[in-house]
Amino acid sequence: PYYTWVDKETCIACGVCGATASRIFDYDDEGLAFSKLDSNSATIPVPADDESDFIDAFESCPTESIKKSSTPEL
Ligand code: F3S
């Protein structure tokens, strides 16, 4: 499984991830993205049904702000 989080230091609020993987990514008041699976903590795996959308978003982020790990960040 994949675990994910967004680096808000480099996110430019472009909006691609929420459009591509709306069940995983949402935006804060400043438009910066975060993983709504687990409040951006990379502790809950991306559901299998959402994996392809997640990979699309991961590969589409223009600033490589979407992070991906095969282990939880504990
Ligand atoms: Fe930010 Fe990348 Fe999403 S720039 S809004 S994390 S696609």
Side-chain angles (χ1 to χ4, degrees):
Y2 294 119
Y3 298 82
T4 185
W5 73 100
V6 173
D7 184 347
K8 289 191 173 192
E9 298 295 318
T10 57
C11 172
I12 56 170
C14 78
V16 165
C17 54
T20 307
S22 61
R23 285 192 296 273
I24 301 174
F25 299 106
D26 203 350
Y27 307 106
D28 68 14
D29 291 344
E30 297 177 335
L32 300 177
F34 64 94
S35 167
K36 61 183 180 182
L37 293 174
D38 50 19
S39 301
N40 215 38
S41 60
T43 53
I44 295 175
V46 174
D49 286 351
D50 296 327
E51 254 186 32
S52 64
D53 285 351
F54 165 65
I55 294 297
D56 283 350
F58 174 78
E59 293 178 347
S60 299
C61 176
T63 58
E64 299 183 354
S65 299
I66 297 175
K67 306 303 180 186
K68 174 166 71 67
S69 174
S70 57
T71 56
E73 302 291 311
L74 295 175

